[in-house]
Amino acid sequence: MDVTKDWFWEGNVVDALAKQLDRDGWTIITKANTHSKERGVDIHAERAGRALLIEAKGFPSKFYRNPERASETKPTNPTNQAQQWYSHALLKAMRLQTKHPDALVALAFPDFPRYRTLYDETQGGLDKLGVARFLVKEDGQVDSFGF
């Protein structure tokens, strides 16, 4: 099974969000190559002289991405793993804000109930920190919060 074909795989979330940002008038400066597991900012966009830095995550698959283990089921519950991914993304956003204080920093996730719950549970803190949020739907539509 090729998990990169799942709409909720990180690379597909990044691609869908970049397309939406482009439609909204943002210029995509860089977009991480998630196939190669490239590190760094997932999307760096600019509009009207303002930088937007986005840390994106997918939703955990029940299967491994490594082709040698693709037929195996992961022992970790995807919902539990999603919370870990969310916390890692939040730490990355805080680091980005410190390193780039004039940029708008955002988190992006596929639209799953678990991520919506985590957004709801952290909304007050995210708003105080000035961290925007995107939820990417299966059809490629994007909901944004905190702008």
Side-chain angles (χ1 to χ4, degrees), residues 97-125:
Q97 278 196 321
T98 299
K99 190 173 182 179
H100 306 278
D102 295 330
L104 176 59
V105 174
L107 300 173
F109 296 93
D111 193 356
F112 273 78
R114 183 64 184 138
Y115 285 135
R116 280 195 177 265
T117 297
L118 290 166
Y119 272 0
D120 290 345
E121 292 173 348
T122 59
Q123 178 183 351

Side-chain angles (χ1 to χ4, degrees), residues 52 104-109 111 115-116 119-120 123 126-127 130-137 142-147:
L52 171 62
L104 176 59
V105 174
L107 300 173
F109 296 93
D111 193 356
Y115 285 135
R116 280 195 177 265
Y119 272 0
D120 290 345
Q123 178 183 351
L126 293 170
D127 288 345
V131 176
R133 285 91 64 201
F134 295 102
L135 284 173
V136 178
K137 298 177 182 299
V142 178
D143 287 341
S144 61
F145 309 88
F147 280 93

Side-chain angles (χ1 to χ4, degrees), residues 10-59:
E10 181 176 322
N12 296 329
V13 170
V14 167
D15 288 344
L17 182 52
K19 287 176 186 171
Q20 182 63 50
L21 290 170
D22 183 60
R23 285 191 295 268
D24 290 344
W26 291 89
T27 300
I28 306 301
I29 306 302
T30 60
K31 187 173 74 165
N33 180 343
T34 45
H35 278 281
S36 68
K37 299 183 180 181
E38 179 180 2
R39 294 182 172 260
V41 175
D42 290 312
I43 298 175
H44 172 190
E46 290 184 1
R47 182 174 72 184
R50 181 112 194 249
L52 171 62
L53 305 175
I54 302 171
E55 174 63 15
K57 295 291 182 201
F59 193 82

